[in-house]
Amino acid sequence: MKKKMIPTTILLSALIFSLSPIYEAVWLTVPHTGSKCVSEEIQSNVIVLADYLVISEEHSIFPTVSVKVTAPYGTVLHHRENTTNGQFAFTTQESGTYLACFEADAKSHGNKDFSINIDWKTGIAAKDWDSIARKEKIEGVELEFKKLEGAVEAIHENLIYLRNREAEMRIVSEKTNSRVAWYSIMSLGICIVVSGLQILYLKQYFEKKKLI
């Protein structure tokens, strides 16, 4: 009895699927007053691609939103007003939390909440592999190997990023512990000095009153 062999491309695709960052399809319910935000912590030099679409259950109402995407240090990466759909793409310049906020425009929603669908992709999930294949003239197994190489590089970069973050957190923790220790020693020293001064004052007071 012959064993059925699984095609190499299927195995590679499965491996890439397990290793690759999966894009996130996010549904947000935006209140008719206020705003709603979505955020993600991303390291530097990572491609980010997102599409958003306003969806309303009321066919007679066409709500519009103001969209603002900011970097960890407040740099505005994307800003649009009175829109129902759009796209933003950028390559991160610094590591940290990237924030996308959606705010309902006044009088466009009939005082009712509505939803926004966000297709958020990062890393190799945001790459246009069809364009890469045409540019480098590769296909089939070779293309799958290219995707696998990208996935491995992304995982390696994530591991380095996590290791650096761990080192930074360890340094912060050590500094905090050191400051707490010094604060405790100073507090103890102040208590001892104050207690000694109180004892000296009481002794002088009782001697003046000839109580001792």
Side-chain angles (χ1 to χ4, degrees):
M1 184 177 180
K2 293 183 179 181
K3 293 183 179 180
K4 188 177 181 180
M5 300 299 292
I6 300 175
T8 305
T9 53
I10 295 179
L11 289 173
L12 289 172
S13 298
L15 182 58
I16 289 172
F17 182 80
S18 63
L19 293 176
S20 302
I22 307 301
Y23 72 87
E24 300 179 49
V26 182
W27 284 83
L28 293 179
T29 299
V30 180
H32 61 274
T33 56
S35 62
K36 203 70 174 284
C37 299
V38 60
S39 64
E40 183 174 357
E41 185 172 349
I42 311 173
Q43 65 186 64
S44 59
N45 298 319
V46 173
I47 298 173
V48 178
L49 175 65
D51 296 276
Y52 54 88
L53 174 66
V54 177
I55 299 174
S56 176
E57 296 180 357
E58 302 264 343
H59 297 292
S60 59
I61 299 176
F62 302 96
T64 59
V65 295
S66 295
V67 185
K68 188 176 183 180
V69 182
T70 55
Y73 296 105
T75 304
V76 178
L77 304 172
H78 175 78
H79 186 207
R80 288 187 65 181
E81 296 183 355
N82 299 320
T83 184
T84 58
N85 63 85
Q87 181 185 82
F88 56 85
F90 56 87
T91 300
T92 58
Q93 299 299 318
E94 64 265 351
S95 301
T97 301
Y98 287 78
L99 188 68
C101 291
F102 301 84
E103 183 176 2
D105 291 329
K107 299 180 181 180
S108 69
H109 41 69
N111 291 326
K112 293 184 179 180
D113 298 347
F114 56 91
S115 300
I116 292 182
N117 175 254
I118 309 170
D119 186 10
W120 184 291
K121 301 177 183 178
T122 60
I124 64 171
K127 288 186 177 181
D128 188 351
W129 289 106
D130 292 334
S131 298
I132 294 174
R134 288 193 299 268
K135 182 178 180 180
E136 300 186 10
K137 297 180 181 180
I138 56 176
E139 60 181 7
V141 176
E142 191 175 1
L143 177 59
E144 298 301 328
F145 271 115
K146 188 72 174 178
K147 292 180 181 179
L148 180 59
E149 182 183 1
V152 172
E153 289 178 356
I155 292 173
H156 182 254
E157 290 174 357
N158 284 333
L159 290 175
I160 293 175
Y161 172 70
L162 291 174
R163 186 180 64 185
N164 292 337
R165 286 297 303 273
E166 182 184 4
E168 290 174 1
M169 293 300 295
R170 184 170 62 251
I171 292 173
V172 172
S173 178
E174 290 175 354
K175 287 183 178 180
T176 302
N177 292 336
S178 177
R179 289 173 181 173
V180 170
W182 277 109
Y183 177 77
S184 299
I185 293 173
M186 289 177 60
S187 299
L188 180 61
I190 291 172
C191 289
I192 293 173
V193 171
V194 170
S195 299
L197 291 175
Q198 287 180 335
I199 293 173
L200 181 61
Y201 172 78
L202 290 174
K203 182 179 179 181
Q204 291 177 347
Y205 175 79
F206 287 136
E207 286 177 349
K208 287 183 179 179
K209 297 293 183 179
K210 297 182 179 180
L211 297 176
I212 56 174

